[in-house]
Amino acid sequence: MNQRFLSVVGMAAMVAFSAGCSTSKSIKTPTENNIVITDTAPDTATVPVWAPKKHSFNPSRTRHHDLLHTKLRLRFDWEKQHVLGLAELTLKPYFYPQQQLVLDAKGFDIHSIHLMKGFDGTPLKYAYDGMKLTVDLGRIFTRDEKYVIEIDYTAKPNELASGGSDAITDDKGLYFINPLGTEPDKPRQIWTQGETEASSAWFPTIDSPNERMTQDIYLTVDTKYTTLSNGSFIYSRQNADGTKTDYWKMEQPHAPYLAMVAIGEFAVVKDKWRDKEVNYYVEPAYAPTAKKIFGHTPEMMEFFSKKLGVDFPWVKYSQIVVRDFVSGAMENTTASVFMEDLQLTERELIDKDWEGIIAHELFHQWFGDYVTTESWANLPLNESFANYSEFLWAEYKHGADAAAYLQMEELSQYLAESETKREPLIRYYYGNREEMFDSHSYAKGGRVLHMLRKYVGDDAFFASLNHYLTKHKFSDVEIAELRMAFEDVTGEDMMWFFDQWFMNPSHPELKVQHSYSNGQLNIQVTQTQDTAYAPVYRLPLKVAVWAQGKRTEYPIEINKAAQTFQFTVPTQPQAVVFDSEQQLLGVINHNKSDAELIYQYNNAKELRSRYEALVKLEEKLENTEVQKLMLTALKDEFWYIRSLAVNALVGLDTEAAGAFADDVKEIARADKKSSVRADAILALATWGGDDLVPMYEQAMADSSYQVAAAGILAYAGTGATDTKARLAKLDKEKNEDVVLSLAAYYAVQGGMDKYDWFLKQVKQSRGTGLYYLLQSFSAFLAANEQANTPEVIKILGDMALNHNLYYVRLGAYQALAVMSDRQEVKELQEKIKQNEKDERLLNMYSR
């Protein structure tokens, strides 16, 4: 086989391949850091890079007015990418008398403002600075007086400076997709994204999460378009000019950032939950698979309604997939928007599902929409719950291992972020509200909720959530109100839990040692985290001990920097598992013998215990007992363990691999999980052997795209003379996994013959797939100087300047760097730097 190809190109492609095969979100593979930390004590003489940053205080917005209702009449200028709006806002002073109203209105042309009385309007004076619209109401209004103002305006969201976060990559509010129809493979669409405060880029409002309004939205569009908005569809009226006006009515109050519209040529696939409509809006080509993508939604609605004791609170629930979305998904009230990755063919559904993200956005309809954070500092009250819903659904639908796998992923994501950032979950001192959308608010928050559930018990946990939702429905909340809901139900002061987990940064770092002597098991626990930045934690946990083949659980509570726990155990323990329920958000250093780990794998039912044993033993495959364990793991009921075992064998030489070859071949042929079959194909490719070539050929024709992509990499690694010709038969394939595998090979071996293929793929690919493709394209450009054409420079320059996804702009800029010795490219790179508004990219470019 061609070892250089596999080692230099293939492994990089495998990274891209695995990223392209993620399910509900971009997933980092758990590492041993989930379980083991170093013994090195922190250096308190220096400030760690992750130390919390102190910024100015960010309270909830003071409410001078109460926005009661918003009526919008909207038309759209596709050519200019403008919104032609007439807004009618009903308000009243919140408490104190007011004569002045300040609204958020970003980048508008204001044509007129009137105080309305019926159909009659009195012109009002106003001042406008391009962001804030200050209106003189003409007289003082008291809190008992409602008033209505009408604003005639043009919104120009595409002319606003770009911002955003890792979770929401742009904040222009409303987006025209392919507005002129010049992109043949992309539909024309309009859609909105309001979070955090971008609804005010398309209608004037009080753009704050502690505001609530009902709404009427009238959308005048071409008759070929389908529209969607919050609430109920009331009617569609045909107009004399050949357009139509669709009327959507939202009668229950919600925050302005949750307002939405979407316009395009969608197929509407109808479903229902109880007596409420549940609809799926997709491009017509995906109508046949829409129910297979979203079809669990009614079951999720029933499950969450029963679990919370609060029925789904809105009149309908729609889910719509749009092109070029600036986030993974968004929980607009009654109408969630999803990125285009959710549109899958029958074949793609073999490898992928999006249940996690579908559950996440649905759960927001309770936590985020029905009850809403009062400020972005309290964002975990929205996002931590939505994150935890993914665990709840997996636990219910797919079992304990699937749920535990998700929690391992979340822990991995948070710990990775904690290397450079550790902040309290509730952050009043953030620098920018977009910073709140991180692995603290999502991954850490979900794990903290799980610890809270384990502490109070299931009955109390869900009773407390019911109390919280019922008491605060249609209102905004802060963290104290969640704490008090748990205190009301349990009768216990929960300040200690909320203070250490929500109000303090960092996480526990524990060094655990166990020893046995004279019938006593001693467990020493030392909290090694830097207490200059983190508390000494109170940690109620359980320890599982196996002696004479019997498992015994011992509850303990850690509340000091160093403690020793003693238990009477009849014989030398066969295994000791600290935090046996595997609930702790933290890192644990607990050394164990090989024999203990082998026994742990074979007897502990929890996923992380099996995972820990495999990871710690994978470097000891010369041990025959470890080999037996790996053979057992290859047959584990849960796919992730089988995958770990397969990948643990990758580094073996051909002779050592012989003991496992038959089992891995069987996995490659018949494992029920396509990603594990793909792993097995790639493992076999590292071992080599002419007898494997027919298996690679069969893999390339597999019904699973993941397996086919692995087959491409494996076959390419054989160095067969017909490789290029054989792979060329797949050049018309559009699937991301296959394209990325082909690109990895063509980057080094394709030559100029693949110039047109690369250009086509760069133009057609999107999202994370485009980013990874650009990495291979960079290698192709480096290997083929004649491919460094003005056409390529123009395409990459336009992408680096204008693409709506910041990481795609980054990928294009990096590809240009291959040609940075050219003067025109140097000038283009400077233009890109000057044009870029995203601080993340500016920091990277400056380095």
Side-chain angles (χ1 to χ4, degrees), residues 446-478:
R447 289 292 305 247
V448 168
L449 290 175
H450 185 64
M451 288 189 293
L452 181 57
R453 176 186 171 191
K454 298 303 291 185
Y455 177 72
V456 301
D458 273 21
D459 288 349
F461 182 77
F462 290 106
S464 298
L465 297 189
N466 175 277
H467 179 50
Y468 170 78
L469 290 170
T470 303
K471 183 176 182 180
H472 301 293
K473 62 184 178 182
F474 302 118
S475 69
D476 53 281
V477 289
E478 60 177 299

Side-chain angles (χ1 to χ4, degrees), residues 256-533:
Y257 79 87
L258 297 167
M260 70 82 67
V261 299
I263 298 162
E265 295 182 77
F266 298 101
V268 184
V269 179
K270 296 184 180 296
D271 210 337
K272 65 181 295 185
W273 172 74
R274 297 185 187 176
D275 61 346
K276 295 184 178 183
E277 67 176 44
V278 176
N279 293 336
Y280 316 130
Y281 291 67
V282 295
E283 292 173 31
Y286 295 94
T289 55
K291 281 198 175 181
K292 292 185 178 180
I293 298 165
F294 291 106
H296 286 303
T297 302
E299 185 180 358
M300 289 179 181
M301 295 170 77
E302 186 69 18
F303 170 64
F304 291 142
S305 293
K306 288 182 175 178
K307 204 75 174 171
L308 297 170
V310 176
D311 285 350
F312 178 78
W314 308 103
V315 294
K316 71 132 190 313
Y317 188 53
S318 294
Q319 295 169 100
I320 186 168
V321 181
V322 301
R323 290 290 188 101
D324 297 342
F325 196 48
V326 294
S327 182
M330 178 61 202
E331 67 274 11
N332 309 298
T333 316
T334 77
S336 290
V337 179
F338 294 86
M339 61 183 174
E340 62 204 272
D341 301 55
L342 271 77
Q343 293 186 140
L344 301 172
T345 64
E346 290 277 0
R347 188 177 176 189
E348 288 169 330
L349 282 163
I350 294 171
D351 299 325
K352 299 182 182 181
D353 74 73
W354 293 99
E355 289 181 33
I357 199 170
I358 292 168
H360 183 111
E361 305 309 323
L362 174 59
F363 210 60
H364 265 312
Q365 300 295 314
W366 287 270
F367 294 92
D369 299 4
Y370 192 52
V371 177
T372 309
T373 179
E374 70 169 21
S375 67
W376 302 116
N378 284 272
L379 180 68
L381 291 173
N382 290 8
E383 294 300 346
S384 298
F385 278 103
N387 177 279
Y388 192 50
S389 74
E390 299 176 42
F391 174 89
L392 293 174
W393 173 254
E395 182 182 49
Y396 159 77
K397 188 68 176 177
H398 302 294
D401 280 350
Y405 172 71
L406 286 181
Q407 289 223 304
M408 288 172 58
E409 294 294 314
E410 302 301 334
L411 178 60
S412 177
Q413 289 182 26
Y414 163 69
L415 290 178
E417 184 173 88
S418 74
E419 293 293 318
T420 56
K421 176 181 184 178
R422 298 187 191 182
E423 299 284 348
L425 278 180
I426 305 301
R427 271 168 277 170
Y428 291 100
Y429 292 94
Y430 58 74
N432 184 304
R433 61 180 177 264
E434 304 298 338
E435 295 171 10
M436 293 296 301
F437 292 82
D438 58 12
S439 286
H440 284 61
S441 294
Y442 289 75
K444 180 179 182 179
R447 289 292 305 247
V448 168
L449 290 175
H450 185 64
M451 288 189 293
L452 181 57
R453 176 186 171 191
K454 298 303 291 185
Y455 177 72
V456 301
D458 273 21
D459 288 349
F461 182 77
F462 290 106
S464 298
L465 297 189
N466 175 277
H467 179 50
Y468 170 78
L469 290 170
T470 303
K471 183 176 182 180
H472 301 293
K473 62 184 178 182
F474 302 118
S475 69
D476 53 281
V477 289
E478 60 177 299
I479 190 63
E481 285 158 309
L482 180 64
R483 171 179 58 79
M484 289 187 287
F486 275 85
E487 292 176 343
D488 288 346
V489 169
T490 65
E492 179 180 349
D493 188 326
M494 298 295 295
M495 181 65 81
W496 70 269
F497 184 97
F498 279 76
D499 183 61
Q500 76 177 15
W501 289 114
F502 285 97
M503 306 310 295
N504 273 285
S506 201
H507 53 266
E509 301 175 14
L510 306 180
K511 182 176 181 179
V512 179
Q513 296 173 296
H514 72 271
S515 60
Y516 181 76
S517 178
N518 299 321
Q520 294 293 310
L521 172 64
N522 295 299
I523 298 179
Q524 295 175 305
V525 183
T526 306
Q527 299 197 39
T528 64
Q529 68 271 6
D530 187 344
T531 54
Y533 301 97

Side-chain angles (χ1 to χ4, degrees), residues 793 819-830:
I793 295 171
M819 302 172 279
S820 59
D821 57 333
R822 298 189 176 200
Q823 184 60 34
E824 68 269 31
V825 173
K826 290 180 181 177
E827 293 173 0
L828 178 57
Q829 287 180 309
E830 285 304 312

Side-chain angles (χ1 to χ4, degrees), residues 664-682:
V664 176
K665 288 177 183 177
E666 182 59 25
I667 288 173
R669 278 192 293 266
D671 197 280
K672 58 188 175 184
K673 182 76 170 178
S674 58
S675 63
V676 182
R677 298 205 307 278
D679 288 337
I681 290 291
L682 294 173

Side-chain angles (χ1 to χ4, degrees), residues 178-243:
N178 192 18
L180 303 181
T182 54
E183 299 177 74
D185 296 321
K186 181 179 288 188
R188 299 176 78 202
Q189 295 176 351
I190 296 171
W191 48 259
T192 60
Q193 166 58 33
E195 194 173 39
T196 51
E197 297 177 9
S199 286
S200 50
W202 59 282
F203 67 94
T205 189
I206 300 174
D207 208 348
S208 176
N210 63 349
E211 189 58 76
R212 279 186 175 264
M213 65 183 191
T214 54
Q215 69 191 43
D216 295 302
I217 294 185
Y218 299 82
L219 300 170
T220 299
V221 297
D222 191 290
T223 54
K224 69 180 179 180
Y225 293 127
T226 298
T227 69
L228 177 64
S229 188
N230 313 93
S232 302
F233 178 70
I234 304 303
Y235 64 69
S236 183
R237 183 188 65 222
Q238 300 298 309
N239 302 317
D241 63 358
T243 63

Side-chain angles (χ1 to χ4, degrees), residues 749-767:
Q749 303 289 345
M752 280 300 293
D753 289 351
K754 296 303 174 183
Y755 175 84
D756 289 338
W757 181 87
F758 264 112
L759 285 191
K760 180 181 178 181
Q761 300 307 323
V762 167
K763 292 175 183 177
Q764 289 183 348
S765 296
R766 51 192 189 265

